[in-house]
Each structure stands twice: as structure tokens, then as C-alpha cells.
Amino acid sequence: MVRFIALLVGVAFAGVLLLALGNTVYGVVTDPPAATAEHEFHLHPKELKLASDGAFGKYDNRQLQRGLQVYKEVCSACHSLRLVSFRDLEGIGYNEAQVKNFAASIDTIPSINPDTGEASTRKGIPSDRFPSPFANDVAARAANNNAIPPDLSLMTKARHDGSAYVYSLLTGFQNQPAKLLKEFPDSKTPPGLHYNPYFANLNLAMAPPLTSEGQVAYLDGTRPTVDQMAKDVSAFLTWTAEPKLQARRQTGFAVIGFLLVFCVLAWGAYQNVWRNVKH
């Protein structure tokens, strides 16, 4: 009797689920959701090829150094790299002396005046992390149309197609298409925001950061087009998110090699142990 009641309860529960699913499918078919501007005009990130792509990819230190230069001269005005220390820059080809000089060039590291006990700033040292451009969130909102610029340390890991997303966002600012305004008259970009089809809701508070060729004068002589600067800083942010990428891959290949050798040895041992046993 108990089993019969349990069976009835299970059948009833399954029936309710099937009924709910059927009603949902029927509603979608008969009354599909209205199209939105975000759904119709949001674009998938552009294709971006970096030296670090693929199983055997390696970082291009020259490109990473150019990307650091773009970050320092353009992006650092609004965005922080709170998880990156100056000494980490040795990982992209700088020596110890160069890292010390770079750290010392940053004179906005928060500190305390030992004589007065008041807040002050000092020059950076290699163990310091990249400082935030704003004292707090209130100051960040006040300077950016009530939006807090995100930290970029892990940005390429926090977004789908991260490197390509950053590159597309930086090169995707444009005027709203006439077709969008015709189909969705209420979707006009609000004052203070900027249209970008690679952003989720098409409008963001960040103004185009890379606006013209030569905005950054590359030290290695590379032509600083907007496209090149966007690629370089995207590569740099890929490194900040995964500074141990190459070491991780090398470890992975070593583990795979070990497992292959182990499998061969195990198979050989199996054959040796059971060689006299008739099947």
C-alpha cells in the first residue's frame, strides 16, 4: 500500500512538471518575447589572435611592454590593477633595475607621513602594487558619471572571450545605427553614456579611451594606431590575469609525458607478470 501511494505521488509530481513545461513551451510558441535592442544589436567580440593563444603559445614580451605603456598612459587614469605588483613586471622582460625605476616613477602610493601622522603619498618600490587612481568609491563615482571603473587585473578572465572582448570594446565605439533608432525609438543613448555594440546593454559610461593614432608614443618604434594600441593593452591584460600561463602549460605537458611513460611501464609490467598464464 505504501509503495502504491508513493508511486501515485511520484506520477502526480511528474505530471505537474510536464504540465508546467508544456505551458511554458506553449507560451513561448504562441506569445514569443518581444525583441530588444540589446538582443538585436549586441555583437560577438571580434577575432583577436595573440602570441599566447593555443597550447604552445607564449607571451610576446615586446607586445606586453607596449601594453603596459598604454595602460600607464591611458587606462590608469580610471582603472586600477590592484592585484599586480611592480616586481611582477620582471615576468614581461624587465630587469630588477628597470622595475625599480618604473616603481619610482609612480609617486602616488598611499602612505602616512611619519612626522605628522597625516595621509600622504610616496614613490613606489618594487613590492608595491599598482595604485588606484581614486581615493575611494565615492571619488570614483563622482569622476565617472556615477559608475565605478572596474579593476582590470582579472578582466580577461572575468569576461567571455576576455582578450577579444577588451579589444573589441576599445575599438567598438561608434554612433548609434539609424536602423536601431528606427526599430527601437526609445533606445537612444542617454546623455553621458557612449554607444558600443560589444557592451552588454550597448551603452556604457566609459568614453572612448583610444581616440587617435600616436596617442601613445611607443618606445620600440611600433606604429601606434588605435587598433595596435588596443591589441597591445589586451595582450597585457591577458598577462595580468594569467602571469603563470607558460609555466602552467609546461607543467601540464610534463604531467602528460609522465602519464604516458607510466602507462607504457604499467602495460609492460602487466605483460611480464601474466606472461606464463594461459588465457
Side-chain angles (χ1 to χ4, degrees), residues 149-219:
D151 180 81
L152 299 182
S153 304
L154 302 176
M155 183 55 65
T156 59
K157 297 292 289 183
R159 299 290 185 272
H160 182 61
D161 293 325
S163 303
Y165 168 80
V166 172
Y167 165 70
S168 301
L169 196 71
L170 291 174
T171 58
F173 290 93
Q174 56 189 265
N175 295 324
Q176 281 188 298
K179 183 179 179 182
L180 183 150
L181 296 176
K182 181 178 180 180
E183 295 182 14
F184 303 95
D186 296 332
S187 296
K188 184 176 177 60
T189 299
L193 300 184
H194 307 271
Y195 179 77
N196 193 314
Y198 298 100
F199 193 65
N201 66 3
L202 306 181
N203 302 294
L204 71 165
M206 181 177 71
L210 302 175
T211 57
S212 61
E213 180 174 336
Q215 188 172 345
V216 174
Y218 281 142
L219 300 178

Side-chain angles (χ1 to χ4, degrees), residues 22-34:
N23 288 336
T24 301
V25 173
Y26 177 78
V28 171
V29 173
T30 58
D31 186 22

Side-chain angles (χ1 to χ4, degrees), residues 124-144:
I125 57 177
S127 60
D128 289 324
R129 294 184 177 183
F130 280 77
S132 172
F134 303 105
N136 50 51
D137 289 350
V138 175
R141 288 184 183 279
N144 293 278

Side-chain angles (χ1 to χ4, degrees), residues 28-86:
V28 171
V29 173
T30 58
D31 186 22
T36 63
E38 290 83 357
H39 180 267
E40 295 292 326
F41 290 88
H42 178 60
L43 299 180
H44 188 75
K46 306 174 188 176
E47 182 179 0
L48 175 64
K49 294 182 179 180
L50 298 175
S52 58
D53 292 343
F56 299 96
K58 295 182 178 180
Y59 286 124
D60 179 351
N61 283 347
R62 286 187 60 187
Q63 183 175 45
L64 299 185
Q65 291 175 12
R66 293 197 301 269
L68 169 62
Q69 192 177 348
V70 175
Y71 168 78
K72 181 182 178 183
E73 297 184 20
V74 180
C75 308
S76 64
C78 298
H79 296 276
S80 59
L81 279 179
R82 61 183 178 83
L83 300 181
V84 182
S85 299
F86 295 129

